[in-house]
Amino acid sequence: MVSCPEILEQLAKWLKEGRPDANNLVDFPWEIERPSNDTIRAIHPRFPVEINILCSDEAESIRAVIATNIITINMDNPTRVKLYRRLLRLNNMPFAKYILFGEEDSVAVAVDLSIYSLGKREFNDALAFLISGLVSVAKEFGIEEELYQSMINELASLVAKHFEEGWSREKLLGYLVNIVGMNPKDAEEFLRNLGIKAPEDLISRARDTISM
């Protein structure tokens, strides 16, 4: 009998063992966190939005979710009704569905899959439908610019995290070029905007940190 820890371990293995030149989403290199035995958080740096993968032994299923910045908890009732109607109309797409997620009732895209029949191809389809569903809801509610900015912020957070982990500037450049898909000039500019300018700057910053 398959359990949630086992199926999530398999999903994490698929995602972590990816390669940059893959043809399928599931085969790309994802960044993985395991906050608990029944949860995975996955981010693909080329499309940097957080995917929460939740598993339930009772429901015998996993749910993959991407939450948006559309928060409904404080909306007045007429506005909420109009928004829900638009979401219900969007729910005619296959596989993915639109739900409310988290304590703030954020609009989210979700896919539910059985833990018993789940295979790599089906999981890849789920990832594709999640991302296309996110794009659809962004277009429907006119938040394309907000989505783009949140992705830039998420990528900046990933780069900053790796910098704090001790990655060299050259390794960060390789990450942006080979994994994210930036051209070298844009990658250089991205690092400069984060304050990561040159190797000597990193050395100076390290000395200042030690002397504090």
Side-chain angles (χ1 to χ4, degrees), residues 3-204:
S3 66
C4 280
E6 290 172 327
I7 194 66
L8 290 179
E9 186 65 30
Q10 179 62 69
L11 296 182
K13 184 174 184 292
W14 286 342
L15 295 172
K16 287 189 294 187
E17 291 181 349
R19 62 188 191 280
D21 61 344
N23 293 320
N24 296 315
L25 282 170
V26 70
D27 293 322
F28 276 93
W30 293 69
E31 306 206 14
I32 303 298
E33 292 181 2
R34 287 289 301 272
S36 67
N37 283 337
D38 56 4
T39 307
I40 291 176
R41 290 186 188 134
I43 297 179
H44 181 354
R46 189 168 296 185
F47 196 90
V49 292
E50 183 177 279
I51 298 179
N52 288 280
I53 303 170
L54 317 171
C55 187
S56 169
D57 283 318
E58 292 74 18
E60 300 179 344
S61 67
I62 67 165
R63 166 167 284 183
V65 181
I66 298 178
T68 73
N69 292 328
I70 303 174
I71 297 172
T72 69
I73 191 67
N74 293 321
M75 290 181 178
D76 58 59
N77 286 338
T79 303
R80 287 167 69 100
V81 169
K82 289 179 181 178
L83 182 142
Y84 294 164
R85 182 175 183 273
R86 293 169 72 180
L87 290 177
L88 286 172
R89 291 176 66 88
L90 286 175
N91 268 337
N92 61 2
M93 69 180 295
F95 217 11
K97 57 189 173 184
Y98 295 95
I99 65 170
L100 300 181
F101 184 73
E103 295 182 357
E104 295 184 318
D105 285 349
S106 298
V107 174
V109 191
V111 174
D112 291 324
L113 302 166
S114 169
I115 64 175
Y116 297 113
S117 61
L118 181 61
K120 195 172 187 180
R121 181 174 179 178
E122 185 183 15
F123 187 58
N124 181 74
D125 291 342
L127 295 174
F129 276 107
L130 280 174
I131 293 174
S132 64
L134 178 63
V135 172
S136 294
V137 81
K139 290 180 178 178
E140 174 71 18
F141 292 98
I143 60 167
E144 294 100 325
E145 185 60 34
E146 289 88 341
L147 174 60
Y148 174 76
Q149 189 57 54
S150 69
M151 290 167 59
I152 293 296
N153 293 339
E154 189 66 59
L155 179 59
S157 296
L158 287 173
V159 172
K161 181 188 76 170
H162 293 319
F163 177 59
E164 291 173 359
E165 292 169 348
W167 285 27
S168 68
R169 187 171 185 275
E170 289 70 25
K171 187 174 181 179
L172 291 172
L173 278 173
Y175 175 79
L176 292 173
V177 172
N178 299 319
I179 305 298
V180 179
M182 287 186 181
N183 65 56
K185 183 178 178 180
D186 289 342
E188 289 274 6
E189 182 65 22
F190 193 85
L191 291 182
R192 280 197 297 270
N193 288 337
L194 291 178
I196 306 173
K197 297 181 180 179
E200 52 265 32
D201 293 332
L202 304 186
I203 295 171
S204 175

